Amino acid sequence: MARRALPTTAAALTAAAALLLTGCGGGDDSSSDDIKGADTGAGSPSASASHTSGVKRPDIKLPTEFQLTFENWTSSDAVEQAVLNDTKEQLRAGYAAIIADEPDGGDALAFYDTASGLSQDQSWIKTYTGKDLTVFGKLPAYDPKPTLLGNKKTRAVVTYCTDESKAYTRNRKTKDVQGNPKGTDPKVFYTVTLTKNSDGVWQNVSTRAKRGGC
């Protein structure tokens, strides 16, 4: 059920949700779904991480039943840290849209996506919303590695892993709960391409995923 355990481009996102239907997980460029969220105590939603940039970021809140955690998403380089911060928030925005049943992604996702990135994410989200699915459980995102590209450092690639072992989907109507099929590798390797817009926001251009790549 990886939000980003997806293959390349829109097809990857769609494939990602496929596993989420049967459980959180992505496949070898064939199917997978992610969950976005943040660990918090039951009862109160998790809010977006704060940013030091002058640009006002969307306030993204996730229910406590969906815990998306980020381990060691830090860098001593200020630009790399900015890239990591926006990558995290973009992922959170995608899961927030799934949980809120917003097939178009909502304003927060549009803020963190380029046009191509948003189109890809909408395809991914609809693999959930189109089947009346939401996500819950725990989804740790770990081992992030940012790489800045170009002389002006306005492009970047971030790779990271997720572990979908404790992430699930639930049908909004029937309440049926599913996880990854037996034998599915719960770990998914993601490659996210980003570009810096005129406001200094690092936006998602595309996401690729490889199940079992961690």
Side-chain angles (χ1 to χ4, degrees):
M1 64 165 286
R3 180 219 157 175
R4 252 119 210 146
L6 322 171
T8 308
T9 68
L13 291 170
T14 302
L19 272 191
L20 185 49
L21 303 183
T22 58
C24 305
D28 270 340
D29 289 356
S30 60
S31 75
S32 72
D33 286 37
D34 289 50
I35 297 183
K36 292 184 178 183
D39 283 316
T40 58
S44 64
S46 62
S48 306
S50 60
H51 293 267
T52 56
S53 167
V55 178
K56 181 176 176 58
R57 260 72 175 175
D59 183 21
I60 303 168
K61 294 183 178 180
L62 294 162
T64 56
E65 71 168 3
F66 178 69
Q67 300 179 28
L68 176 62
T69 56
F70 299 91
E71 181 181 352
N72 297 324
W73 281 63
T74 59
S75 173
S76 59
D77 182 274
V79 179
E80 289 184 355
Q81 188 61 61
V83 171
L84 291 174
N85 288 344
D86 285 347
T87 299
K88 289 193 298 182
E89 292 303 282
Q90 192 273 344
L91 183 62
R92 283 166 42 79
Y95 279 117
I98 289 173
I99 294 169
D101 198 16
E102 295 183 323
D104 291 332
D107 293 341
L109 194 58
F111 181 90
Y112 286 109
D113 274 344
T114 60
S116 62
L118 182 59
S119 177
Q120 184 187 50
D121 277 341
Q122 288 172 338
S123 296
W124 163 62
I125 292 169
K126 289 174 183 177
T127 60
Y128 292 89
T129 60
K131 294 180 174 62
D132 290 322
L133 295 175
T134 186
V135 294
F136 71 99
K138 298 181 179 181
L139 184 68
Y142 61 96
D143 197 22
K145 292 182 174 61
T147 301
L148 300 176
L149 305 174
N151 294 332
K152 296 183 179 180
K153 296 183 178 180
T154 56
R155 293 180 295 130
V157 171
V158 174
T159 60
Y160 65 91
C161 291
T162 61
D163 185 344
E164 303 171 341
S165 300
K166 297 181 180 179
Y168 310 90
T169 59
R170 181 174 58 230
N171 188 283
R172 298 176 190 275
K173 295 179 180 178
T174 67
K175 307 305 179 184
D176 180 52
V177 172
Q178 296 188 36
N180 279 325
K182 185 177 180 180
T184 300
D185 192 325
K187 295 182 179 180
V188 182
F189 180 78
Y190 287 99
T191 301
V192 182
T193 302
L194 308 98
T195 186
K196 186 177 181 181
N197 71 11
S198 59
D199 291 325
V201 178
W202 287 91
Q203 294 182 306
N204 175 20
V205 175
S206 67
T207 301
R208 292 177 297 160
K210 180 180 180 181
R211 186 164 295 282
C214 295

